[in-house]
Amino acid sequence: MSRFIPPGSTIGIIGGGQLGKMMALSARAMGYRIALLDPNEHCPCAGIADAFIVANYDDEKAIERLAQKSDVLTYEFENVDVDVLRSVEEAGMLPQGIKPLWTAQHRLREKACFKKAGIPFVPYTLISEPTQLAHAVIEIGLPAVLKTISGGYDGKGQFLIESREDLERARNFVYHNGECVLEHWLMFDKEISVIMTRGQDGELALYPIPENLHEHQMLRSSLVPARIRDTVLEQANEMARKLAQSLSFVGTFALEMFVRGDEVYANEMAPRPHNTGHYTIEACSVSQFEQHIRAICGLPLLPIEMTGAAYMKNIIGDDVHDYTSREAHMNGHVHLYGKNEARPKRKMGHVTYTALSYEKLIQMIEEKEKESWYSSVGTFLGGKQ
């Protein structure tokens, strides 16, 4: 049963990073007030909140105070202790629920969820001890990637094994991180993702699929719509529908996938708005963030429409200084998150370009994005289906 939270009510957001900020901006535009919990008093969302609790995400008392100030709660990322959320879920204040969060926090639970939903995924094996690696590598094959059971993101918590000479360092990785999964390194053609929103009434809205370029296991840019065959598009959307039916989540949700030929494999999921969905702010009739707010507040989802093409690029580290000039804002929609320190591999913002066709989009990017890494992005933009 849908629980309607009318505009004028307060939405409590756990996490004040860029995703929390963009959620809050959408909610504000719709007439909602914002209560925030984050351990960093200078987080990106701090200046938008009507009420701000500075506390750790596992502080149960702080979560209770946030709930007291709010009419509904949501979270911006997976690093929230599910145990501290049980009481607010039982009180009916967490429409997203604990199950999707609990599942996404642990790679074995995630893969079990894929299996139950009938979704193909990359072969893997559990590594509990460093001594298991040698046999597991023979079984899985090389190259392979070690991933921590939990806590990894943006390439963190991963170690690529390309040859048997990497085994000793891989053993040290397991020794220091504990249980890991060893996955076959799939030689894929493309990385794509499905961004979707599910309402409290079960309605599901799917966004156009972005094609994603990663560097060092970190998202660099997305091109939308992805240049994929219709058979791949249908498979990807069907996998998303199966996951939605299996998890019965509420809100915006992302499923990352690998494409090899006509085959599609699930990689990871995220039970909240996603970096690869940032293009929706300018390129779609309703953004992933507004749709998320609509879902958790029991409002009807809006039809999703997109005309033309879009290109979203993350602004990483010191590159942020290149986007403070007047010239940088010509043709592109620049979003700077307001983080107080630029660090390597830290997402400081993003920029989105939109056009009525791929051809016009590529011309625009070639004029604006002349960087040392552009040769790979040029191939990405100019490559064939």
Side-chain angles (χ1 to χ4, degrees):
M1 181 178 177
S2 181
R3 178 174 175 245
F4 175 53
I5 308 296
S9 304
T10 298
I11 299 174
I13 302 177
I14 303 169
Q18 62 264 25
L19 296 178
K21 180 178 183 178
M22 287 183 272
M23 280 185 204
L25 289 171
S26 289
R28 280 280 202 173
M30 297 167 70
Y32 291 96
R33 294 170 61 82
I34 302 298
L36 176 67
L37 184 148
D38 194 279
N40 178 10
E41 61 180 334
H42 302 295
C43 64
C45 195
I48 302 170
D50 298 283
F52 187 7
I53 298 172
V54 180
N56 292 327
Y57 305 122
D58 60 356
D59 187 332
E60 189 169 2
K61 295 296 183 183
I63 296 289
E64 289 176 2
R65 293 203 308 274
L66 182 69
Q68 290 167 3
K69 295 176 181 290
S70 308
D71 298 289
V72 66
L73 295 184
T74 186
Y75 44 80
E76 71 151 359
F77 65 169
E78 294 91 303
N79 296 332
V80 183
D81 188 336
V82 295
D83 290 331
V84 305
L85 296 179
R86 294 192 188 282
S87 61
V88 292
E89 182 189 42
E90 291 168 0
M93 292 191 64
L94 191 71
Q96 288 163 277
I98 286 176
K99 183 180 178 182
L101 184 67
W102 178 82
T103 303
Q105 285 178 342
H106 195 280
R107 295 192 193 277
L108 291 184
R109 293 197 291 262
E110 183 179 61
K111 292 179 186 302
C113 175
F114 292 157
K115 184 176 181 179
K116 180 181 177 182
I119 296 173
F121 53 90
V122 178
Y124 77 97
T125 189
L126 174 65
I127 303 295
S128 301
E129 300 288 343
T131 54
Q132 296 175 319
L133 264 175
H135 178 73
V137 163
I138 295 172
E139 180 182 317
I140 292 292
L142 292 178
V145 60
L146 268 174
K147 297 182 179 180
T148 55
I149 285 289
S150 60
Y153 65 97
D154 286 345
K156 300 178 178 68
Q158 298 186 21
F159 182 85
L160 178 62
I161 306 174
E162 298 183 90
S163 66
R164 296 190 69 83
E165 286 69 34
D166 294 327
L167 277 179
E168 188 57 38
R169 291 171 59 207
R171 292 187 188 98
N172 288 333
F173 183 89
V174 176
Y175 177 79
H176 289 291
N177 289 283
E179 280 192 332
C180 296
V181 294
L182 181 71
E183 293 182 3
H184 175 64
W185 185 268
L186 188 72
M187 303 305 290
F188 55 85
D189 301 321
K190 295 182 187 292
E191 294 180 81
I192 62 173
S193 52
V194 175
I195 311 298
M196 54 188 159
T197 307
R198 184 177 181 275
Q200 295 183 43
D201 59 359
E203 179 185 5
L204 187 66
L206 302 175
Y207 282 93
I209 293 178
E211 176 182 342
N212 307 313
L213 176 70
H214 287 76
E215 289 184 349
H216 310 296
Q217 290 80 53
M218 182 178 185
L219 181 71
R220 187 52 164 162
S221 52
S222 295
L223 177 68
V224 197
R227 298 155 306 162
I228 52 178
R229 299 182 182 92
D230 288 343
T231 54
V232 171
L233 176 68
E234 291 166 5
Q235 282 184 70
N237 282 334
E238 182 58 23
M239 287 165 65
R241 292 187 189 98
K242 287 181 177 180
L243 185 63
Q245 183 176 10
S246 178
L247 277 178
S248 298
F249 60 82
V250 169
T252 296
F253 200 101
L255 177 60
E256 298 179 67
M257 308 175 191
F258 298 126
V259 177
R260 185 176 66 181
D262 287 328
E263 299 173 333
V264 185
Y265 299 87
N267 179 28
E268 296 177 349
M269 63 184 186
R272 39 73 180 174
H274 196 253
N275 195 169
T276 61
H278 289 349
Y279 78 91
T280 64
I281 298 172
E282 283 85 24
C284 292
S285 53
V286 56
S287 77
Q288 64 167 340
F289 299 100
E290 179 181 340
Q291 204 83 298
H292 179 75
I293 297 300
R294 285 176 166 272
I296 65 170
C297 291
L299 293 167
L301 303 184
L302 291 180
I304 297 169
E305 297 180 2
M306 178 180 177
T307 302
Y311 175 73
M312 187 285 302
K313 189 193 80 169
N314 277 328
I315 300 171
I316 309 294
D318 286 335
D319 289 351
V320 68
H321 302 304
D322 297 332
Y323 290 87
T324 56
S325 68
R326 181 179 183 275
E327 192 274 341
H329 288 254
M330 294 181 67
N331 298 324
H333 302 272
V334 178
H335 297 252
L336 299 181
Y337 303 147
K339 296 180 179 179
N340 56 7
E341 182 186 1
R343 297 195 299 265
K345 291 193 174 183
R346 191 181 197 194
K347 295 172 184 172
M348 303 300 294
H350 72 270
V351 57
T352 301
Y353 299 91
T354 61
L356 293 177
S357 68
Y358 278 129
E359 291 74 21
K360 290 182 178 179
L361 182 68
I362 292 170
Q363 182 181 4
M364 186 187 300
I365 302 306
E366 287 177 342
E367 291 174 356
K368 300 299 297 182
E369 299 294 335
K370 296 181 174 72
E371 299 178 334
S372 60
W373 54 270
Y374 184 68
S375 59
S376 63
V377 177
T379 302
F380 173 56
L381 285 170
K384 301 299 182 183
Q385 178 174 304

